[in-house]
Amino acid sequence: MLAVLKKELLTYFTTSIGYIFMGVFLLISGILFTMGNIFGMNSDYPSFLGGLIMIFLLVVPLLTMKTYSEESKLKTDQLLMTAPQSTAGIVAGKFLAAASLFLLTLIITGLYPLFLSFHARLDTAQIIGTYIGFFFLGASFISIGVYISSLTDSQAGAAILTFCVLIITWIIDFIGSVMPVTPLSGVVFALILTALAALWMYNATKTPLAAAIPVVFGLIIIGAVYLINQDLYINLIGKTLSWFSLTKRFSNFPLGILKLDAVIYYLSFSGFFLFLTTQRIEKQRWS
Amino acid sequence: MIKAIDLTKRYGKHTAVNKINFEIAKGEIIGFLGPNGAGKSTTMNMISGYFAPTDGKILVDGEDILDDPEKTRGKIGYLPEHPPLYMDMTVKEYLKFAGQLKKIKPADLKGDIDRITDLVKITDVRGRLIKNLSKGYRQRVGMAQALLGNPQLLILDEPTVGLDPKQIIEIRNLIKDLSDDHTIILSSHILPEISAVCDRVLIINKGEIVASDTPENLAENLAGMHKLHLQVKGDEEKIRKALDTLDVLKDVTVQSAREEGVMSVLVEAGKDADIREDVFYALAKKKCPILQMRPMDMSLEEIFLNLTTVEGGAN
């Protein structure tokens, strides 16, 4: 893991990717900070930092597009996969390298509040809290990017797809708010999910019997819940979509509230995507 | 050291390797030989742990490689068909990374890199970016990567591709030197290379092993004929008449040679018949002096073509 981490960090700086990522992020954030906070004489740093997420979202694909797609394209994955290393360790190394570069960039932006502190009184704890939130949110974005990079051997494809998925997580609350809220729509949604589970099961095992298991269990659970507490189906679509809303959980950090559940959410979100990546790569051995 | 039992790899409906069985003893050099797409690389990828077999298993030192893949992979040095090189790294950075991946102790790593770069003769390019190296150098960097950590088993997929004749001989000698304390599997489509280096050859075609023997035995058993190539002074009719008296001969072809008045003659006898003396006396009697006599063993090329095309046609 450590070897991969070191190598990835090295490649960020021997190729131009690392410089472009840091340069673009720092340039845009610097312009926004100068215009908004210095010229605008605004000392509300946490909300500035919150706004930076959108900029970060734009540059995440740069950070992650190469992680795995380039390895499989140039067949260097043969070196990694035949080395005495666990796949999970390799994935973790790659993720941590991207996260470290991101952390380094965030630390540099720490100069901004330092400048502000000469002119205004700042709530240090609040700012640190926002940074913590930003870092965990960013790590979740990176984990999505790493996963998508393992799906394709085209860097450009990985970058575009990552960008689209991140935009969707950004607007997912909005999508959820326009979804129908009736119990019936909730039931239909649950049925669709069951069908998808069955389809996935069939794809993985190629036996109709295995596909029948999620169908039977799904129908029983849907039916039982409907009889016991119909209200659970109200706005089910919106509620489900909000599980994937990364930005909603960030909103507390700029207010100075450090919520453990949000941190755990981000960590498990990243962990889940890294797990998917590991599975995906491990699966290539078997296909 | 390695045992493959009913080893099979299928990609969807396509069967790349079909139930092959082989065993490789410690210290042996085995050559995989076969036309493109025969399943050589797939088999090597399975032994190295890059692919998992669809069916069957591979035992390394008696242990299934899927039981403890990381431990088994640590015993293997692998040079794939396309050397897995990071173009944006220098040779030194690359080898350092490969060594760390292989969990070589930092204290040993520097010495190991020095020793191996010396061995494959890339010391002078250590500071250069891999993308700026020629194909021959890249191949040798890949080779160096495989040798790092001194693994017991080396798997080399076409190790001499892209090298010039001098480098090929160097690599060949290197492989021979390594064979003292390593087990080596190599594949090649350059047949003399296999016969020059390997103790045993596995000929693979369409995912199946069609022959497995020493290069010499393969040549002997499969030739099936004892062939002589002669340069004889005299005209065609006289020579034919002389040779017709010999019953053991199965086939005689006579062609005019480059030299005037000299015929180039190819005689074939049944297996194990030594016809050299008979041919000499028969021609001497007719006063047709033999200027040159050369036994013609079937080359590995011919055997290879024979096996793969005949088998291919039969399927």
Side-chain angles (χ1 to χ4, degrees):
Chain A
M1 183 178 95
L2 216 60
V4 177
L5 170 63
K6 272 194 265 181
K7 174 242 152 195
E8 288 290 311
L9 275 179
L10 181 79
T11 350
Y12 275 133
F13 291 105
T14 50
T15 61
S16 45
I17 297 277
Y19 296 107
I20 295 177
F21 168 78
M22 290 180 87
V24 169
F25 187 74
L26 291 175
L27 178 72
I28 298 179
S29 64
I31 293 171
L32 290 181
F33 175 74
T34 315
M35 306 288 278
N37 293 68
I38 302 281
F39 294 163
M41 294 204 271
N42 178 359
S43 66
D44 184 6
Y45 190 70
S47 52
F48 160 75
L49 211 50
L52 271 192
I53 291 171
M54 193 62 202
I55 311 299
F56 179 61
L57 203 137
L58 291 173
V59 285
V60 168
L62 264 183
L63 210 53
T64 58
M65 63 183 183
K66 262 171 72 132
T67 30
Y68 214 81
S69 53
E70 180 132 299
E71 301 269 5
S72 50
K73 190 171 182 182
L74 299 177
K75 308 217 169 187
T76 44
D77 60 332
Q78 276 185 311
L79 179 69
L80 300 177
M81 304 293 283
T82 58
Q85 298 275 345
S86 67
T87 311
I90 292 167
V91 172
K94 284 175 173 291
F95 168 75
L96 287 179
S100 319
L101 190 68
F102 168 51
L103 183 64
L104 181 68
T105 318
L106 273 190
I107 289 171
I108 295 174
T109 64
L111 287 173
Y112 304 156
L114 197 67
F115 292 145
L116 272 188
S117 66
F118 298 145
H119 306 288
R121 284 167 59 92
L122 295 177
D123 185 343
T124 321
Q126 193 187 356
I127 290 173
I128 291 175
T130 316
Y131 266 117
I132 292 173
F134 198 158
F135 176 71
F136 282 117
L137 174 64
S140 307
F141 285 164
I142 291 169
S143 69
I144 294 178
V146 169
Y147 173 62
I148 290 174
S149 178
S150 75
L151 296 179
T152 163
D153 59 8
S154 145
Q155 277 188 49
I160 293 166
L161 197 59
T162 308
F163 185 66
C164 292
V165 171
L166 291 182
I167 293 285
I168 289 173
T169 64
W170 179 262
I171 57 170
I172 207 159
D173 279 326
F174 172 70
I175 298 174
S177 67
V178 296
M179 286 292 157
V181 293
T182 56
L184 182 67
S185 68
V187 173
V188 171
F189 181 65
L191 288 175
I192 292 173
L193 286 186
T194 312
L196 284 177
L199 207 65
W200 179 80
M201 199 72 171
Y202 182 72
N203 236 331
T205 59
K206 301 280 178 214
T207 47
L209 195 68
I213 296 170
V215 173
V216 172
F217 277 95
L219 289 179
I220 291 172
I221 293 169
I222 291 169
V225 172
Y226 192 80
L227 291 175
I228 296 163
N229 188 357
Q230 224 187 74
D231 291 348
L232 281 178
Y233 284 111
I234 295 174
N235 198 19
L236 182 69
I237 305 176
K239 278 187 278 187
T240 313
L241 288 180
S242 78
W243 288 348
F244 297 97
S245 171
L246 289 165
T247 42
K248 193 179 97 183
R249 283 165 183 82
F250 178 72
S251 53
N252 276 331
F253 288 97
L255 302 175
I257 307 165
L258 195 60
K259 272 193 153 178
L260 191 64
D261 61 348
V263 172
I264 290 172
Y265 171 82
Y266 285 136
L267 285 179
S268 43
F269 189 93
S270 310
F272 177 66
F273 271 92
L274 295 182
F275 170 74
L276 283 185
T277 314
T278 311
Q279 289 301 306
R280 161 81 198 164
I281 294 168
E282 199 54 40
K283 198 181 159 223
Q284 283 171 346
R285 279 194 214 273
W286 297 88
S287 62
Chain B
M1 175 164 192
I2 296 179
K3 197 171 177 184
I5 305 164
D6 286 341
L7 196 59
T8 304
K9 181 77 188 175
R10 277 187 291 270
Y11 301 107
K13 282 194 176 122
H14 170 70
T15 306
V17 172
N18 191 11
K19 287 195 174 174
I20 64 173
N21 288 282
F22 58 84
E23 202 166 339
I24 300 169
K26 215 175 169 75
E28 252 189 317
I29 310 185
I30 294 286
F32 281 3
L33 202 59
N36 288 333
K40 292 174 301 207
S41 293
T42 307
T43 309
M44 292 183 140
N45 274 332
M46 284 193 280
I47 302 172
S48 67
Y50 181 59
F51 288 156
T54 316
D55 233 327
K57 53 184 168 181
I58 303 170
L59 307 178
V60 174
D61 289 336
E63 280 178 71
D64 192 327
I65 56 167
L66 294 177
D67 287 347
D68 191 351
E70 284 170 48
K71 189 179 149 204
T72 321
R73 282 186 233 142
K75 294 178 187 170
I76 299 174
Y78 182 35
L79 170 66
E81 198 174 355
H82 305 276
L85 305 173
Y86 293 98
M87 295 298 161
D88 292 312
M89 285 179 152
T90 65
V91 172
K92 202 176 161 188
E93 282 167 353
Y94 173 72
L95 291 178
K96 200 173 155 201
F97 169 58
Q100 286 167 346
L101 268 186
K102 294 180 182 211
K103 299 186 173 162
I104 300 171
K105 288 193 199 87
D108 302 339
L109 186 55
K110 200 182 169 300
D112 215 22
I113 290 177
D114 285 344
R115 182 178 63 84
I116 285 159
T117 48
D118 221 36
L119 207 60
V120 299
K121 300 193 168 61
I122 50 171
T123 315
D124 49 331
V125 296
R126 277 171 61 157
R128 284 175 59 185
L129 286 177
I130 292 175
K131 65 178 164 197
N132 295 333
L133 296 180
S134 69
K135 180 126 180 27
Y137 269 114
R138 286 185 192 176
Q139 189 72 23
R140 282 187 278 169
V141 175
M143 185 95 175
Q145 168 273 122
L147 292 174
L148 272 177
N150 212 12
Q152 301 161 31
L153 172 64
L154 286 172
I155 302 177
L156 310 170
D157 200 349
E158 308 205 343
T160 56
V161 165
L163 302 183
D164 64 37
K166 187 170 161 274
Q167 294 166 339
I168 289 179
I169 292 169
E170 283 172 8
I171 291 287
R172 229 182 258 176
N173 289 337
L174 176 64
I175 292 172
K176 275 186 182 162
D177 291 344
L178 288 169
S179 70
D180 292 342
D181 46 1
H182 294 80
T183 308
I184 302 174
I185 304 176
L186 67 93
S187 77
S188 178
H189 59 257
I190 306 165
L191 306 163
E193 182 168 291
I194 295 266
S195 52
V197 177
C198 297
D199 301 327
R200 200 148 59 89
V201 184
L202 294 181
I203 299 182
I204 301 178
N205 189 36
K206 297 197 169 170
E208 286 171 28
I209 295 180
V210 291
S212 159
D213 214 329
T214 62
E216 296 79 24
N217 277 349
L218 274 179
E220 204 169 288
N221 292 340
L222 288 152
M225 296 281 179
H226 202 77
K227 279 192 192 173
L228 287 179
H229 186 263
L230 309 165
Q231 299 271 349
V232 185
K233 206 168 172 182
D235 58 62
E236 186 177 343
E237 212 175 319
K238 222 165 135 191
I239 295 171
R240 274 200 185 279
K241 240 180 223 166
L243 291 174
D244 281 346
T245 58
L246 296 172
D247 293 335
V248 285
L249 294 189
K250 282 175 76 181
D251 192 26
V252 178
T253 34
V254 183
Q255 281 180 325
S256 47
R258 244 174 272 147
E259 218 174 319
E260 204 169 325
V262 175
M263 304 305 282
S264 160
V265 183
L266 204 64
V267 292
E268 257 185 68
K271 199 180 169 186
D272 292 338
D274 191 352
I275 52 169
R276 284 173 298 182
E277 280 185 31
D278 297 338
V279 169
F280 171 79
Y281 285 123
L283 287 167
K285 217 185 264 174
K286 298 276 177 189
K287 297 252 183 289
C288 294
I290 296 173
L291 305 178
Q292 189 193 49
M293 181 188 283
R294 183 160 54 91
M296 289 242 313
D297 287 326
M298 203 172 177
S299 71
L300 211 48
E301 259 99 347
E302 288 172 277
I303 297 165
F304 173 64
L305 277 175
N306 221 342
L307 276 169
T308 50
T309 49
V310 169
E311 291 284 324
N315 284 348

